[in-house]
Amino acid sequence: MASSPNPDSGATMRPYRPEDEPGVQELIDADRLPGQQRCTPEQLAAARHGRLALAGWATSARPGIGVLADADERPRGVVAYVSWVDVRTGVICWAYGREEPPVLRTLLGHACAELAHCPKIDAFVGAPPGPLGPGGLPRARRAATHDALVEAGFTGRCQGAYLYCALPGEPWPAKLVADVFPCEVPPGHRLIIRDGIEPVAEAVVGAGPGRAATVYWIETRPTHRGRGLGRRLLGQALALLAEQGACEVALVIDDVPPRTPENEAAARLFGSFGFSLVDRLWTYRREHHRAPLPTA
């Protein structure tokens, strides 16, 4: 069912249609960060059918994508949200409106109305970096979206830092220290360093279309830290991505205070390979409590 909200008399808020795909892709890519993979028709189709990339929630029960269309039916903004039958928290997965405040207010208002049955609504949470978003809201680059969320009653906090690195034209030599296996979720490769038969360090990376790649995960077991395994593992992972045609790489690290020695070590490691901060990623929550029913 369509509605006719502001930002102008010709705009209509309605469900996503297949013919919206090109315009919605343009809206999403307009806010793409350096190194972030471009939106694909396959990703939009997956979101439309509820296969949203949310940590711990592989399949949604009630997905929705709303489009704010102008008088000529061209998308001016898009918002995706989801709720579950047995979970009392709704999620606004992503929203794009070229940072136009009236458009963003309309999108968030629509999503909140659709999720009004949820006592809690989270926004920009749970997703790894990918074509539909970097894994949170880039606070500095999308200040208008932040302001619209706060105006709608959401409280935000920093959850991570988005880092970017341009790979050299000629891949640097990397010692092959890890076994490499194909990985389906997320699509890419898993690299594992073993001590004997025990895995002691692991990374998951993926190269997408457009020569952009992502480091989804890298970790060394506490018992084996301080031995340079992370450096060798990351070096091999980046060399692998370069061989696959990637020319830029993005990743997200934890950036929740207080900073821990592990956070500091990770920042130094990535910095030594040329990764630099693009923006800090925020997540948001809004809670409302229904008044208790009157007693007799």
Side-chain angles (χ1 to χ4, degrees), residues 164-185:
Y164 167 81
C165 174
L167 293 177
E170 292 294 330
W172 55 77
K175 184 178 179 181
L176 301 182
V177 294
D179 298 321
V180 181
F181 306 93
C183 182
E184 291 187 3
V185 182

Side-chain angles (χ1 to χ4, degrees), residues 74-258:
R74 293 173 300 195
R76 289 187 58 187
V78 59
V79 60
Y81 46 88
V82 63
S83 63
W84 293 264
V85 174
D86 54 350
V87 178
R88 295 171 61 81
T89 300
V91 176
I92 297 175
C93 306
W94 36 268
Y96 295 99
R98 297 186 185 275
E99 289 301 275
E100 298 181 29
V103 172
L104 294 166
R105 287 194 292 267
T106 300
L107 295 174
L108 294 176
H110 171 78
C112 288
E114 292 294 314
L115 299 173
H117 60 284
C118 301
K120 297 179 183 179
I121 302 176
D122 288 333
F124 296 90
V125 299
L132 298 178
L137 183 77
R139 171 67 178 84
R141 292 181 175 233
R142 298 194 57 191
T145 301
H146 168 84
D147 292 344
L149 284 160
V150 172
E151 184 180 329
F154 286 83
T155 300
R157 64 178 179 84
C158 182
Q159 69 168 7
Y162 184 97
L163 307 183
Y164 167 81
C165 174
L167 293 177
E170 292 294 330
W172 55 77
K175 184 178 179 181
L176 301 182
V177 294
D179 298 321
V180 181
F181 306 93
C183 182
E184 291 187 3
V185 182
H189 288 85
R190 186 182 306 273
L191 295 86
I192 300 176
I193 295 178
R194 303 178 188 274
D195 184 356
I197 62 172
E198 290 295 320
V200 295
E202 179 180 357
V204 179
V205 301
R211 306 187 71 185
T214 305
V215 176
Y216 293 103
W217 173 264
I218 183 166
E219 179 72 14
T220 301
R221 289 180 60 174
T223 53
H224 286 70
R225 290 174 185 166
R227 304 182 187 184
L229 295 181
R231 171 172 294 278
R232 283 177 275 172
L233 182 61
L234 183 58
Q236 182 176 341
L238 296 180
L240 172 64
L241 293 173
E243 289 173 3
Q244 295 173 344
C247 63
E248 52 183 1
V249 185
L251 60 87
V252 174
I253 60 173
D254 291 336
D255 194 36
V256 180

